[in-house]
Amino acid sequence: MSISTWWNRVRYTAYAPAYDLAVAHLPLFQRGRRRSLALADFRRGERVLMIAGGTGLDLAYLPDGIDVIATDVTPAMVTRMAMRAQALREAGRDLQVRTQAMDAARLTLPDESVDGVILHLALAVVPDPVAAIREAARVLRPGGRIAVFDKFLPDGERPSLRRRIAAVVMRLVATDLNRQLGPLLKAAGLRVVASEAIGLGGMFVVARVESRNR
């Protein structure tokens, strides 16, 4: 495990008890999750991998009949993810959820083994986003799609001084403000099929992503 991955595990272990209180009810995040999954159009009977899924907030927005592999590098987050999955089942939701601690950059899944991947608030957080998106592409079956919701600097744009200063602080706390989606997808042989700005002046984006050779 790299030092950066270790640090992510440490800080998100600390964040885990209060994570839902901080983000679960934010309208921007609710809207982003919902719209991203609508664009991906996951369907009953499909197998979907959730990468860096935190406490599993995306589970509530998935349609019934989905087979979910829900992962995060932080065991404390995975525990809460499993609790959320159980609560949804007890509420009558038809979701098959398997939870597992897993590094986004080193997925322990076979090639072409899932119909969809969820990358929500993940690519700006994981230490190695290129490795993470390449792993997502590796496990995706032909015709599959990736649901992306995150904050990005527009492709080809240089960050302002104010944004660079803010990024130094935010990287220590949680996230990188200056990653760009286009170069990440190009490195993994993926393409955007549909994308929309979802909030904060276009900083947050949702996208449906597919393989270039589909």
Side-chain angles (χ1 to χ4, degrees), residues 91-112:
R93 292 295 311 279
D94 178 18
L95 287 174
Q96 299 298 316
V97 182
R98 172 162 58 93
T99 58
Q100 186 174 346
M102 198 179 296
D103 185 349
R106 298 174 180 81
L107 299 177
T108 57
L109 294 174
D111 295 354
E112 299 184 0

Side-chain angles (χ1 to χ4, degrees), residues 61-137:
Y61 300 101
L62 288 169
D64 282 356
I66 300 290
D67 178 12
V68 184
I69 305 169
T71 73
D72 196 276
V73 75
T74 306
M77 288 291 194
V78 175
T79 297
R80 284 162 173 78
M81 196 184 294
M83 292 169 61
R84 173 163 276 111
Q86 180 62 30
L88 288 169
R89 285 192 295 269
E90 291 174 355
R93 292 295 311 279
D94 178 18
L95 287 174
Q96 299 298 316
V97 182
R98 172 162 58 93
T99 58
Q100 186 174 346
M102 198 179 296
D103 185 349
R106 298 174 180 81
L107 299 177
T108 57
L109 294 174
D111 295 354
E112 299 184 0
S113 57
V114 300
D115 302 293
V117 175
I118 299 171
L119 281 167
H120 285 178
L121 306 174
L123 289 175
V125 172
V126 296
D128 190 342
V130 172
I133 196 68
R134 283 176 172 166
E135 280 291 270

Side-chain angles (χ1 to χ4, degrees), residues 78-196:
V78 175
T79 297
R80 284 162 173 78
M81 196 184 294
M83 292 169 61
R84 173 163 276 111
Q86 180 62 30
L88 288 169
R89 285 192 295 269
E90 291 174 355
R93 292 295 311 279
D94 178 18
L95 287 174
Q96 299 298 316
V97 182
R98 172 162 58 93
T99 58
Q100 186 174 346
M102 198 179 296
D103 185 349
R106 298 174 180 81
L107 299 177
T108 57
L109 294 174
D111 295 354
E112 299 184 0
S113 57
V114 300
D115 302 293
V117 175
I118 299 171
L119 281 167
H120 285 178
L121 306 174
L123 289 175
V125 172
V126 296
D128 190 342
V130 172
I133 196 68
R134 283 176 172 166
E135 280 291 270
R138 178 183 66 79
V139 301
L140 195 66
R141 290 171 180 156
R145 55 270 192 222
I146 300 174
V148 174
F149 164 48
D150 220 322
K151 64 192 80 59
F152 296 105
L153 181 69
D155 292 353
E157 184 175 306
R158 291 177 60 85
S160 65
L161 176 60
R162 181 178 178 181
R163 186 161 178 158
R164 291 199 301 271
I165 293 171
V168 173
V169 177
M170 291 304 296
R171 274 197 299 270
L172 291 173
V173 175
T175 189
D176 194 320
L177 299 180
N178 293 324
R179 292 178 181 174
Q180 296 177 315
L181 182 58
L184 293 177
L185 298 183
K186 184 177 180 180
L190 299 168
R191 64 189 177 106
V192 172
V193 175
S195 68
E196 300 173 8

